[in-house]
């Protein structure tokens, strides 16, 4: 496991949230169609509602693909976490990457006081030690 893999999981989860937010905004089109048929135009939907519906379908497909990637990474991370003996590291990873808390909040949850650096540096040092041991 690497920090890059954890950050990739975090990024995918964030992307899914952004896509879901975009889908939610598309359900409220900014104007309604006038109801008149559009003569002489191609098959491209002419109303905002139709365009939004097509975009929503496309975004839902993208979101589902991203979820599959995220589930695969979550399984990989979860398998790795069962091998980690340091419960603080396990807790930090869960709060930061699975629950997507800020570093300050992670530190508050794990250690009881707000600090941006302590949990982040502890995790960073843990991975540095792992890489030194594997060399």
């Amino acid at each position: 496991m690497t920090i890059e893999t954890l950050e990739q999981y975090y990024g995918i989860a964030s992307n899914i949230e952004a896509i879901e937010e975009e889908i939610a905004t598309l359900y409220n089109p900014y104007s309604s169609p006038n109801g008149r048929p559009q003569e002489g135009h191609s098959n491209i939907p002419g109303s905002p509602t139709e365009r939004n519906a097509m975009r929503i379908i496309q975004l839902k497909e993208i979101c589902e693909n991203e979820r599959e990637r995220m589930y695969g990474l979550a399984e990989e991370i979860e398998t790795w976490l069962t091998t980690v003996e340091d419960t603080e590291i396990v807790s930090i990873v869960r709060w930061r990457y699975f629950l997507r808390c800020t570093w300050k909040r992670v530190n508050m949850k794990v250690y009881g006081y707000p600090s941006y650096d302590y949990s982040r540096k502890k995790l960073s040092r843990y991975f540095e030690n792992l890489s030194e041991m594997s060399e």
Side-chain angles (χ1 to χ4, degrees), residues 8-131:
Q8 184 180 14
Y9 177 88
Y10 190 93
I12 291 170
S14 180
N15 189 33
I16 289 170
E17 184 179 334
I19 291 170
E20 288 172 344
E21 185 76 24
E22 186 177 352
I23 288 170
T25 61
L26 287 171
Y27 274 113
N28 298 315
Y30 52 88
S31 64
S32 61
N34 61 12
R36 287 183 264 149
Q38 298 197 1
E39 301 172 26
H41 293 290
S42 67
N43 289 336
I44 298 172
S47 73
T49 303
E50 291 171 3
R51 281 192 304 271
N52 286 354
M54 298 303 286
R55 180 73 178 144
I56 288 168
I57 291 168
Q58 180 185 32
L59 286 173
K60 283 185 176 184
E61 189 175 307
I62 292 168
C63 193
E64 189 55 38
N65 292 338
E66 287 292 289
R67 269 198 185 90
E68 290 301 318
R69 284 182 54 210
M70 186 181 76
Y71 294 151
L73 278 176
E75 190 174 312
E76 182 181 332
I77 293 167
E78 196 64 55
T79 301
W80 169 73
L81 282 176
T82 61
T83 67
V84 176
E85 294 176 6
D86 188 337
T87 56
E88 289 177 7
I89 294 297
V90 172
S91 186
I92 289 168
V93 168
R94 287 192 187 285
W95 282 109
R96 173 63 180 172
Y97 297 100
F98 285 144
L99 298 174
R100 297 182 48 233
C101 294
T102 64
W103 284 113
K104 201 173 196 177
R105 181 164 170 109
V106 169
N107 207 75
M108 188 67 172
K109 291 290 189 178
V110 178
Y111 298 107
Y113 63 94
S115 170
Y116 172 79
D117 285 329
Y118 191 76
S119 294
R120 185 178 57 81
K121 286 183 178 179
K122 178 157 178 107
L123 186 64
S124 182
R125 284 189 301 268
Y126 178 82
F127 279 108
E128 286 171 10
N129 289 339
L130 276 183
S131 67

